[in-house]
Amino acid sequence: MGATALTKDTFKDTIASGTTLVDFWAPWCGPCKIQLPIVEELAEELKGQANITKVNVDDQPELASEYGIMSIPTLLIFKDGELQNKLVGLQSKESLAAKLA
């Protein structure tokens, strides 16, 4: 299954409850291609514990703008709809897992 792709229509409902990681990425972004498999692995490992999601900034420019995404990958961590952490650039699986715990 992996990370769930979000749109402006599904974003708010998805982050509303629990812990959610959102990976803002684009298919042409080199570091994003390295980050995405890490995010997909976390989606499998943390199933039931956290929502692991992704937003293609090319397809969802409104969301990227709303959250001030200036460079990608940028990963946002929400807890019950509140932004807890903003991580810019490539992140290790261990670092992300620790921040989601």
Side-chain angles (χ1 to χ4, degrees):
M1 169 75 194
T4 305
L6 297 183
T7 66
K8 62 182 186 343
D9 298 328
T10 59
F11 193 87
K12 294 276 192 236
D13 286 342
T14 303
I15 68 165
S17 63
T19 301
T20 305
L21 171 75
V22 183
D23 176 15
F24 285 85
W25 70 287
W28 46 264
C29 161
C32 298
K33 291 177 183 171
I34 299 166
Q35 187 71 70
L36 202 54
I38 294 169
V39 170
E40 296 288 352
E41 279 181 41
L42 281 174
E44 294 302 317
E45 291 176 16
L46 299 177
K47 193 175 291 185
Q49 300 169 49
N51 296 317
I52 309 298
T53 65
K54 57 190 176 185
V55 172
N56 181 331
V57 296
D58 289 344
D59 294 342
Q60 303 297 320
E62 302 93 344
L63 282 173
S65 176
E66 181 177 344
Y67 288 95
I69 307 303
M70 303 304 271
S71 61
I72 50 176
T74 292
L75 296 102
L76 303 182
I77 299 173
F78 293 89
K79 179 99 172 137
D80 297 329
E82 296 292 316
L83 181 60
Q84 300 291 308
N85 216 326
K86 181 175 186 174
L87 309 161
V88 179
L90 193 57
Q91 305 294 317
S92 72
K93 186 167 104 175
E94 295 74 19
S95 168
L96 291 173
K99 287 176 174 49
L100 291 167

